[in-house]
Structures are given as C-alpha cells and as structure tokens.
Amino acid sequence: MTTKIGEHRGVTIQPGATLFPARLDRAEQEQLLADLRAAIAEAPLFRPEMPKTGKPFSVRMTNLGPLGWVSDRLGGYRYQPTHPTTGQPWPKMPRLLLDLWAEVCAYPGPPEACLVNFYEPSAKMGLHQDRDEADFAAPILSVSLGDSCRFRLGGADRSDPTRSFELNSGDVVVLAGPSRLAFHGVDRILAGTSRLLPEGGRVNLTLRRVTGMG
Ligand code: MD3
Ligand code: FE
C-alpha cells in the first residue's frame, strides 16, 4: 500500500509502519545537521547506562524539546526536562522537525521529545520496545541522517518474526497504531555509505509524545 502526503509517497512496511524514503532532500539534511551541531554544543552527547547493571550503551544521545529521554544505573529509563550533566533545559526543537511532524503524523499536538541517537560505526541497538511514554496512541516519527543502517522490525511480542531493511540518510519512518509497540533495533551501521557527516557515523532522531495529556 502507498500513502501520499503532499508530493511524498510512503510505503507501508507493516500495518502502522510507514517509510518515506529520502523524505528530506540533501539541503534539508544539511540544515537539520547544522541545527543538531548547534544543539549538541549546548546539550552535549551523553552515554546512557542500562538500569541496574550500569552497562553503557554503545550509542551516545542527547535530546531536543520540552522533555528528553535519559537512563542511568540508579534512576533507570525516564523522561526529564533537563540534561543529565549540565542540568540545563534541552535545546528547542528545530522548525523543520515540528513541520515534518505536523505533515506526516496526523496527531493533534506537537511532539514533546526528540531523542537524538549518535551511532559510531561499531554502535548498535538491541531489539526493544519503546514504552517509557504515557501515550501509546501518538505515533513516533524517526528521521535518519548520515551512514545507512540495517534496521530490524518485528511485532508486539519479542518472539514475533522480524524483518530487516536499510534506513538511509533522509529517510523518515512513522510508527503508529499496531506498530507503535513493535520490537525494533539497529543491527549494524553500514560505514562509509554517506558523506553527510564528514566524520562518519549515523544520527537518528525520534520525535515522541510523552505525557498522554495531548
Ligand atoms: C518501531 N532508535 O531511539 S528509529 C530508539 O535508529 C530507537 O536509532 C532506532 O529505537 C534508531 O528508541 C530506531 C525507528 C523506530 C523508532 C521507534 C519505534 C522504530 C520503531 C517504535 C516502535 C516501533
Ligand atoms: Fe526504540
């Protein structure tokens, strides 16, 4: 099935999961990356830890918007309004992201959090569900920049079959409805597949509703 939003065609990967390949053109990707570099200067990338064990993530993160996702050994997974090391509010969300959410998400209210994941070539993210938000009715919107990755998407049970496909720079995915609680992860980064980041690596942004009061 294809979904047409403006001049952009989305491809349904599975019910509720829509991929918009190369939704952002090169100029938009560069603009977004410049916005991100400015934000990271204020809110530096940090390395989350697994709850209880304290095992460090291979991915580094920061956030934009009113709320940000953080995790450490003692506090576990949570959203909070300030950066875990600077104590400052998160930088604001770029206009481009707010507009993109409004165009593709069909949700009455703006995103409350934008998690920024930075993957070095060796980084990955194990299969997981995103369930730290109070609002599962709202979609999650994902934007990929830089090197491609092999992404894995399954169903609502960990044991459901999974499929893998590539996410490339400029790709946008909307996860809604029956895919909102699907298990997913990043198997590996395909180093050297993009020249957007001269230093290499991959950036993924996820825009979310958190509070369930929208
Ligand atoms: C499917 N990020 O930050 S984005 C995460 O590429 C996360 O950095 C990955 O998983 C990344 O939590 C995947 C695509 C994505 C995001 C959220 C989802 C897929 C999803 C939520 C439900 C189902
Ligand atoms: Fe996730």
Side-chain angles (χ1 to χ4, degrees):
M1 189 179 89
T2 65
T3 313
K4 199 165 172 220
I5 297 178
E7 287 310 302
H8 299 284
R9 276 189 174 72
V11 184
T12 299
I13 300 164
Q14 64 183 35
T18 310
L19 169 65
F20 295 87
R23 173 62 181 72
L24 301 186
D25 66 25
R26 178 75 184 203
E28 291 170 320
Q29 294 173 41
E30 280 171 358
Q31 176 60 60
L32 191 48
L33 188 61
D35 292 342
L36 287 173
R37 290 198 195 282
I40 287 168
E42 268 182 69
L45 293 168
F46 61 91
R47 193 178 297 282
E49 302 168 345
M50 294 294 289
K52 299 189 180 73
T53 65
K55 183 180 188 290
F57 280 54
S58 63
V59 178
R60 287 184 296 154
M61 301 182 176
T62 191
N63 292 271
L64 310 171
L67 291 170
W69 187 89
V70 302
S71 180
D72 51 35
R73 186 169 65 86
L74 294 176
Y77 302 150
R78 63 201 187 273
Y79 283 91
Q80 62 181 42
T82 55
H83 189 283
T85 57
T86 70
Q88 293 300 119
W90 304 104
K92 67 180 182 354
M93 252 186 258
R95 166 74 7 199
L96 187 148
L97 293 177
L98 296 170
D99 290 348
L100 185 64
W101 172 278
E103 278 176 45
V104 301
C105 282
Y107 188 81
E112 296 174 299
C114 173
L115 174 60
V116 180
N117 293 331
F118 177 70
Y119 295 78
E120 291 175 56
S122 61
K124 50 194 166 45
M125 190 176 287
L127 206 65
H128 67 279
Q129 283 175 304
D130 291 10
R131 45 184 325 143
D132 302 318
E133 302 78 23
D135 187 355
F136 297 146
I140 290 179
L141 184 157
S142 150
V143 178
S144 293
L145 296 174
D147 284 338
S148 301
C149 76
R150 186 144 284 278
F151 175 73
R152 187 165 292 281
L153 186 61
D157 290 304
R158 186 176 281 281
S159 59
D160 287 342
T162 65
R163 287 192 305 152
S164 85
F165 52 94
E166 272 184 31
L167 287 180
N168 304 310
S169 197
D171 286 359
V172 168
V173 186
V174 178
L175 293 312
S179 285
R180 173 61 183 79
L181 288 173
F183 276 85
H184 59 280
V186 173
D187 291 351
R188 67 187 193 92
I189 303 304
L190 306 173
T193 47
S194 166
R195 285 194 292 229
L196 185 71
L197 283 78
E199 68 273 38
R202 171 174 183 266
V203 177
N204 180 267
L205 311 174
T206 46
L207 279 66
R208 302 140 186 268
R209 291 289 299 188
V210 175
T211 61
M213 293 191 281

